[in-house]
Short mmCIF file of all heavy atoms in Angstrom, two decimals:
data_model
loop_
_atom_site.label_atom_id
_atom_site.label_comp_id
_atom_site.label_asym_id
_atom_site.label_seq_id
_atom_site.Cartn_x
_atom_site.Cartn_y
_atom_site.Cartn_z
N ALA A 25 2.87 37.44 56.49
CA ALA A 25 3.00 37.91 57.87
C ALA A 25 3.23 39.40 57.91
O ALA A 25 2.67 40.13 58.73
CB ALA A 25 4.13 37.17 58.58
N CYS A 26 4.09 39.89 57.00
CA CYS A 26 4.34 41.33 56.91
C CYS A 26 3.05 42.08 56.59
O CYS A 26 2.75 43.11 57.17
CB CYS A 26 5.41 41.62 55.86
SG CYS A 26 5.68 43.37 55.55
N ALA A 27 2.27 41.52 55.66
CA ALA A 27 1.02 42.17 55.28
C ALA A 27 0.04 42.21 56.44
O ALA A 27 -0.65 43.20 56.66
CB ALA A 27 0.40 41.44 54.09
N LEU A 28 -0.01 41.13 57.23
CA LEU A 28 -0.89 41.12 58.38
C LEU A 28 -0.48 42.18 59.40
O LEU A 28 -1.32 42.81 60.04
CB LEU A 28 -0.87 39.74 59.04
CG LEU A 28 -1.63 38.61 58.31
CD1 LEU A 28 -1.33 37.29 58.97
CD2 LEU A 28 -3.12 38.89 58.32
N ARG A 29 0.84 42.38 59.55
CA ARG A 29 1.31 43.35 60.53
C ARG A 29 1.06 44.77 60.08
O ARG A 29 0.74 45.65 60.87
CB ARG A 29 2.82 43.16 60.79
CG ARG A 29 3.16 41.89 61.52
CD ARG A 29 4.54 42.00 62.14
NE ARG A 29 5.59 42.13 61.16
CZ ARG A 29 6.26 41.12 60.65
NH1 ARG A 29 5.97 39.89 61.01
NH2 ARG A 29 7.24 41.31 59.79
N THR A 30 1.26 45.02 58.77
CA THR A 30 1.25 46.40 58.30
C THR A 30 -0.05 46.82 57.64
O THR A 30 -0.30 48.01 57.45
CB THR A 30 2.37 46.61 57.28
OG1 THR A 30 2.10 45.80 56.12
CG2 THR A 30 3.73 46.21 57.86
N GLY A 31 -0.88 45.84 57.24
CA GLY A 31 -2.10 46.17 56.54
C GLY A 31 -1.90 46.41 55.06
O GLY A 31 -2.82 46.78 54.35
N ASN A 32 -0.68 46.15 54.53
CA ASN A 32 -0.39 46.34 53.12
C ASN A 32 -0.38 44.99 52.41
O ASN A 32 0.40 44.11 52.78
CB ASN A 32 0.98 47.01 52.93
CG ASN A 32 0.99 48.42 53.44
OD1 ASN A 32 0.04 49.15 53.21
ND2 ASN A 32 2.04 48.81 54.14
N LEU A 33 -1.21 44.82 51.41
CA LEU A 33 -1.24 43.58 50.64
C LEU A 33 -0.78 43.89 49.22
O LEU A 33 -1.32 44.75 48.56
CB LEU A 33 -2.66 43.00 50.62
CG LEU A 33 -3.19 42.56 52.00
CD1 LEU A 33 -4.65 42.14 51.87
CD2 LEU A 33 -2.36 41.41 52.54
N PHE A 34 0.21 43.16 48.77
CA PHE A 34 0.78 43.39 47.45
C PHE A 34 0.90 42.06 46.72
O PHE A 34 1.00 41.00 47.33
CB PHE A 34 2.19 44.03 47.56
CG PHE A 34 2.16 45.37 48.21
CD1 PHE A 34 2.27 45.50 49.57
CD2 PHE A 34 2.00 46.53 47.45
CE1 PHE A 34 2.23 46.73 50.18
CE2 PHE A 34 1.96 47.76 48.04
CZ PHE A 34 2.07 47.87 49.41
N ALA A 35 0.92 42.13 45.39
CA ALA A 35 1.21 40.94 44.61
C ALA A 35 2.57 40.42 45.01
O ALA A 35 3.49 41.18 45.27
CB ALA A 35 1.18 41.27 43.12
N LEU A 36 2.72 39.09 45.04
CA LEU A 36 3.93 38.50 45.62
C LEU A 36 4.99 38.17 44.59
O LEU A 36 6.06 37.72 44.94
CB LEU A 36 3.53 37.22 46.37
CG LEU A 36 2.61 37.47 47.57
CD1 LEU A 36 2.17 36.14 48.17
CD2 LEU A 36 3.30 38.31 48.61
N ASP A 37 4.73 38.38 43.31
CA ASP A 37 5.68 37.94 42.30
C ASP A 37 6.28 39.07 41.50
O ASP A 37 6.85 38.85 40.44
CB ASP A 37 4.99 36.95 41.34
CG ASP A 37 4.54 35.70 42.06
OD1 ASP A 37 5.25 35.25 42.95
OD2 ASP A 37 3.46 35.20 41.70
N VAL A 38 6.16 40.30 41.98
CA VAL A 38 6.66 41.45 41.23
C VAL A 38 7.76 42.11 42.04
O VAL A 38 7.63 42.29 43.24
CB VAL A 38 5.52 42.47 40.97
CG1 VAL A 38 6.04 43.64 40.16
CG2 VAL A 38 4.38 41.78 40.24
N LEU A 39 8.84 42.50 41.38
CA LEU A 39 9.94 43.17 42.06
C LEU A 39 9.67 44.66 42.12
O LEU A 39 9.20 45.26 41.16
CB LEU A 39 11.26 42.90 41.34
CG LEU A 39 11.71 41.44 41.34
CD1 LEU A 39 12.98 41.30 40.53
CD2 LEU A 39 11.92 40.95 42.75
N SER A 40 9.99 45.27 43.27
CA SER A 40 9.80 46.70 43.42
C SER A 40 10.81 47.47 42.59
O SER A 40 11.93 47.02 42.40
CB SER A 40 9.97 47.09 44.88
OG SER A 40 9.03 46.44 45.69
N PRO A 41 10.45 48.66 42.09
CA PRO A 41 11.42 49.47 41.37
C PRO A 41 12.54 49.89 42.30
O PRO A 41 12.28 50.28 43.46
CB PRO A 41 10.60 50.68 40.90
CG PRO A 41 9.43 50.73 41.83
CD PRO A 41 9.15 49.30 42.20
N PRO A 42 13.82 49.81 41.89
CA PRO A 42 14.93 50.03 42.81
C PRO A 42 15.16 51.48 43.18
O PRO A 42 15.86 51.75 44.14
CB PRO A 42 16.12 49.48 42.03
CG PRO A 42 15.74 49.61 40.60
CD PRO A 42 14.26 49.39 40.56
N ASN A 43 14.61 52.44 42.46
CA ASN A 43 14.97 53.83 42.71
C ASN A 43 13.80 54.73 43.08
O ASN A 43 13.87 55.94 42.98
CB ASN A 43 15.67 54.41 41.47
CG ASN A 43 16.96 53.69 41.17
OD1 ASN A 43 17.76 53.48 42.07
ND2 ASN A 43 17.13 53.28 39.93
N ALA A 44 12.69 54.13 43.49
CA ALA A 44 11.55 54.94 43.89
C ALA A 44 11.87 55.68 45.18
O ALA A 44 12.61 55.18 46.02
CB ALA A 44 10.31 54.04 44.09
N PRO A 45 11.32 56.88 45.38
CA PRO A 45 11.62 57.62 46.60
C PRO A 45 10.98 56.98 47.82
O PRO A 45 9.94 56.34 47.72
CB PRO A 45 11.02 59.01 46.34
CG PRO A 45 9.93 58.74 45.35
CD PRO A 45 10.43 57.62 44.48
N ILE A 46 11.61 57.16 48.99
CA ILE A 46 11.08 56.66 50.24
C ILE A 46 10.68 57.85 51.08
O ILE A 46 11.45 58.77 51.27
CB ILE A 46 12.13 55.84 51.00
CG1 ILE A 46 12.69 54.74 50.10
CG2 ILE A 46 11.56 55.22 52.25
CD1 ILE A 46 13.79 53.95 50.75
N SER A 47 9.48 57.82 51.61
CA SER A 47 9.06 58.89 52.50
C SER A 47 9.88 58.85 53.78
O SER A 47 10.10 57.78 54.33
CB SER A 47 7.58 58.74 52.84
OG SER A 47 7.24 59.58 53.91
N PRO A 48 10.32 59.98 54.29
CA PRO A 48 11.08 59.96 55.53
C PRO A 48 10.21 59.70 56.75
O PRO A 48 10.72 59.47 57.83
CB PRO A 48 11.69 61.36 55.60
CG PRO A 48 10.74 62.22 54.83
CD PRO A 48 10.22 61.34 53.72
N ASN A 49 8.91 59.75 56.58
CA ASN A 49 8.03 59.69 57.74
C ASN A 49 7.19 58.43 57.80
O ASN A 49 6.15 58.40 58.45
CB ASN A 49 7.11 60.92 57.76
CG ASN A 49 7.89 62.21 57.83
OD1 ASN A 49 8.92 62.25 58.48
ND2 ASN A 49 7.41 63.24 57.16
N VAL A 50 7.63 57.35 57.11
CA VAL A 50 6.84 56.14 57.09
C VAL A 50 6.59 55.62 58.49
O VAL A 50 5.50 55.17 58.83
CB VAL A 50 7.55 55.05 56.25
CG1 VAL A 50 6.82 53.73 56.36
CG2 VAL A 50 7.63 55.49 54.80
N LEU A 51 7.58 55.71 59.37
CA LEU A 51 7.45 55.14 60.69
C LEU A 51 7.16 56.16 61.77
O LEU A 51 7.08 55.82 62.94
CB LEU A 51 8.76 54.42 61.08
CG LEU A 51 9.16 53.22 60.24
CD1 LEU A 51 10.33 52.53 60.88
CD2 LEU A 51 8.01 52.27 60.08
N THR A 52 7.06 57.42 61.41
CA THR A 52 6.99 58.46 62.40
C THR A 52 5.57 58.94 62.57
O THR A 52 4.79 58.97 61.63
CB THR A 52 7.89 59.64 62.00
OG1 THR A 52 9.20 59.13 61.76
CG2 THR A 52 7.98 60.68 63.10
N SER A 53 5.21 59.34 63.78
CA SER A 53 3.87 59.85 64.03
C SER A 53 3.71 61.20 63.34
O SER A 53 4.60 61.69 62.65
CB SER A 53 3.67 60.00 65.54
OG SER A 53 4.47 61.06 66.03
N THR A 54 2.59 61.84 63.57
CA THR A 54 2.33 63.13 62.93
C THR A 54 3.00 64.29 63.65
O THR A 54 2.74 65.44 63.34
CB THR A 54 0.81 63.38 62.87
OG1 THR A 54 0.28 63.28 64.20
CG2 THR A 54 0.13 62.35 61.98
N ASP A 55 3.88 63.98 64.60
CA ASP A 55 4.60 65.05 65.30
C ASP A 55 5.37 65.90 64.28
O ASP A 55 5.92 65.40 63.31
CB ASP A 55 5.60 64.46 66.30
CG ASP A 55 4.90 63.74 67.43
OD1 ASP A 55 3.80 64.18 67.81
OD2 ASP A 55 5.46 62.75 67.93
N THR A 56 5.41 67.21 64.53
CA THR A 56 6.21 68.09 63.69
C THR A 56 7.69 67.79 63.89
O THR A 56 8.17 67.65 65.02
CB THR A 56 5.93 69.56 64.06
OG1 THR A 56 4.54 69.80 63.86
CG2 THR A 56 6.76 70.50 63.19
N LEU A 57 8.42 67.66 62.78
CA LEU A 57 9.82 67.29 62.84
C LEU A 57 10.70 68.52 62.70
O LEU A 57 10.39 69.46 61.98
CB LEU A 57 10.16 66.29 61.72
CG LEU A 57 9.38 64.98 61.73
CD1 LEU A 57 9.81 64.11 60.56
CD2 LEU A 57 9.56 64.24 63.04
N SER A 58 11.83 68.49 63.39
CA SER A 58 12.88 69.48 63.20
C SER A 58 14.19 68.73 63.14
O SER A 58 14.25 67.51 63.33
CB SER A 58 12.88 70.50 64.35
OG SER A 58 13.06 69.84 65.59
N SER A 59 15.28 69.44 62.87
CA SER A 59 16.56 68.78 62.63
C SER A 59 17.25 68.39 63.93
O SER A 59 17.11 69.05 64.96
CB SER A 59 17.48 69.69 61.82
OG SER A 59 16.97 69.85 60.52
N ALA A 60 18.01 67.31 63.86
CA ALA A 60 18.91 66.88 64.93
C ALA A 60 20.25 66.56 64.30
O ALA A 60 20.30 65.88 63.27
CB ALA A 60 18.35 65.67 65.65
N VAL A 61 21.33 67.04 64.88
CA VAL A 61 22.67 66.82 64.35
C VAL A 61 23.51 66.12 65.41
O VAL A 61 23.51 66.53 66.58
CB VAL A 61 23.35 68.14 63.93
CG1 VAL A 61 24.77 67.89 63.45
CG2 VAL A 61 22.52 68.82 62.85
N VAL A 62 24.17 65.04 65.00
CA VAL A 62 25.04 64.28 65.90
C VAL A 62 26.38 64.07 65.22
O VAL A 62 26.43 63.70 64.03
CB VAL A 62 24.41 62.93 66.29
CG1 VAL A 62 25.43 62.04 67.00
CG2 VAL A 62 23.19 63.13 67.18
N ARG A 63 27.46 64.28 65.96
CA ARG A 63 28.81 64.03 65.45
C ARG A 63 29.25 62.66 65.98
O ARG A 63 29.40 62.47 67.18
CB ARG A 63 29.78 65.11 65.90
CG ARG A 63 31.18 64.98 65.32
CD ARG A 63 32.10 66.06 65.85
NE ARG A 63 31.61 67.38 65.49
CZ ARG A 63 31.91 68.00 64.33
NH1 ARG A 63 32.68 67.39 63.44
NH2 ARG A 63 31.43 69.20 64.08
N THR A 64 29.45 61.71 65.09
CA THR A 64 29.87 60.36 65.45
C THR A 64 31.29 60.12 64.97
O THR A 64 31.81 60.87 64.13
CB THR A 64 28.94 59.31 64.81
OG1 THR A 64 29.29 59.16 63.42
CG2 THR A 64 27.47 59.71 64.91
N PRO A 65 31.95 59.05 65.43
CA PRO A 65 33.27 58.71 64.90
C PRO A 65 33.25 58.45 63.39
O PRO A 65 34.29 58.60 62.73
CB PRO A 65 33.65 57.45 65.68
CG PRO A 65 32.94 57.60 66.98
CD PRO A 65 31.62 58.24 66.63
N SER A 66 32.08 58.08 62.84
CA SER A 66 31.98 57.85 61.40
C SER A 66 31.73 59.12 60.61
O SER A 66 31.92 59.13 59.40
CB SER A 66 30.86 56.85 61.11
OG SER A 66 31.17 55.57 61.61
N GLY A 67 31.28 60.19 61.28
CA GLY A 67 30.98 61.44 60.60
C GLY A 67 29.76 62.10 61.20
O GLY A 67 29.13 61.59 62.14
N ILE A 68 29.40 63.24 60.63
CA ILE A 68 28.27 64.02 61.14
C ILE A 68 26.98 63.56 60.45
O ILE A 68 26.95 63.38 59.23
CB ILE A 68 28.49 65.52 60.88
CG1 ILE A 68 29.79 65.99 61.56
CG2 ILE A 68 27.31 66.34 61.39
CD1 ILE A 68 30.17 67.41 61.21
#
Side-chain angles (χ1 to χ4, degrees):
C26 174
L28 286 171
R29 290 199 296 268
T30 65
N32 293 317
L33 296 174
F34 297 89
L36 296 175
D37 297 323
V38 182
L39 296 176
S40 299
N43 297 312
I46 307 177
S47 167
N49 300 325
V50 173
L51 296 189
T52 306
S53 70
T54 56
D55 294 327
T56 300
L57 301 179
S58 58
S59 292
V61 177
V62 169
R63 185 182 299 273
T64 78
S66 293
I68 301 172

